[in-house]
Amino acid sequence: MGGHGSRLGGRDKGLVSLHGRPLITHVLRAMRPQVSETLIVANRNLGRYQSYGCAVYNDQIHGNLGPLAGLHTALLHAQTDYVVCVPGDAPRLPPDLVTRLWDALVEHQAAISVAHDGTHFQPLCCLVPRRLARDCASALHAGERSVIGWLKKYRLAAAIFKDTPTLAWSINTPEELHRAENMA
């Protein structure tokens, strides 16, 4: 999922090039070995995203409501009991992201687990039960726009990723893109 890309000149962040390939290809390369299905939620360039061999969906609740609407759409369309949500502009997701999210969920007997970089939650990297789709829709209709705000309604487990560089979680500015280009 990606936002409006306003800090990157309005570009579709998932399609911004890093090391000669769109960011979404880095995300898919990291996630496909970890999950049984992948789907993309996008509100523009759907044809380009479909070329990556995934089901592609627009937000099911319209109005440019942000990433929470994208999470809701993923919860509606997933075929699994849990949905791993990651942003489409996260180039260096850990190869054990799903395992660590699941382990934190089980260990803390939580409803949802969220990646934590040792300093902050990374709310767009989370593991959410699909059964919460209706509540997510209700929150959106009530005006909630914050992913972490909605997630915090539930018992959360923090999956700690202190060992993962900050730029793994998303690329938001030209400076971050430049730094990511210079990383091995």
Side-chain angles (χ1 to χ4, degrees):
M1 299 182 309
H4 296 291
S6 57
R7 290 178 282 179
L8 279 170
R11 298 188 303 180
D12 186 329
K13 291 195 303 179
L15 299 175
V16 169
S17 181
L18 175 67
H19 300 299
R21 297 189 342 254
L23 285 169
I24 192 67
T25 63
H26 298 272
V27 173
L28 291 171
R29 186 189 68 221
M31 293 309 299
R32 281 186 167 143
Q34 299 186 60
V35 297
S36 60
E37 72 169 321
T38 54
L39 60 88
I40 296 173
V41 178
N43 292 310
R44 55 185 171 156
N45 300 307
L46 283 98
R48 295 248 341 249
Y49 285 114
Q50 288 169 338
S51 73
Y52 295 106
C54 301
V56 178
Y57 300 96
N58 303 62
D59 287 345
Q60 298 299 290
I61 298 176
H62 303 287
N64 295 318
L65 303 180
L68 186 58
L71 175 56
H72 169 256
T73 298
L75 292 170
L76 285 178
H77 291 285
Q79 300 299 308
T80 56
D81 290 338
Y82 284 85
V83 171
V84 177
C85 172
V86 297
D89 62 346
R92 300 185 71 195
L93 293 169
D96 60 349
L97 175 69
V98 175
T99 299
R100 288 162 75 175
L101 286 169
W102 181 258
D103 289 349
L105 184 88
V106 171
E107 178 184 342
H108 298 285
Q109 299 178 356
I112 296 170
S113 63
V114 181
H116 192 285
D117 65 14
T119 305
H120 306 321
F121 277 113
Q122 297 296 330
L124 294 183
C125 289
C126 57
L127 180 66
V128 181
R130 190 177 55 156
R131 65 180 166 73
L132 296 181
R134 184 175 295 173
D135 184 66
C136 187
S138 295
L140 284 160
H141 289 302
E144 180 67 71
R145 298 297 175 262
S146 166
V147 174
I148 194 66
W150 179 70
L151 295 176
K152 284 184 174 181
K153 287 179 54 179
Y154 297 94
R155 182 180 171 105
L156 290 183
I160 305 301
F161 289 90
K162 285 191 252 186
D163 56 326
T164 303
T166 301
L167 289 177
W169 306 112
S170 68
I171 301 292
N172 294 306
T173 66
E175 296 77 22
E176 288 176 350
L177 182 61
H178 180 72
R179 282 199 324 261
E181 282 285 353
N182 292 324
M183 293 176 84

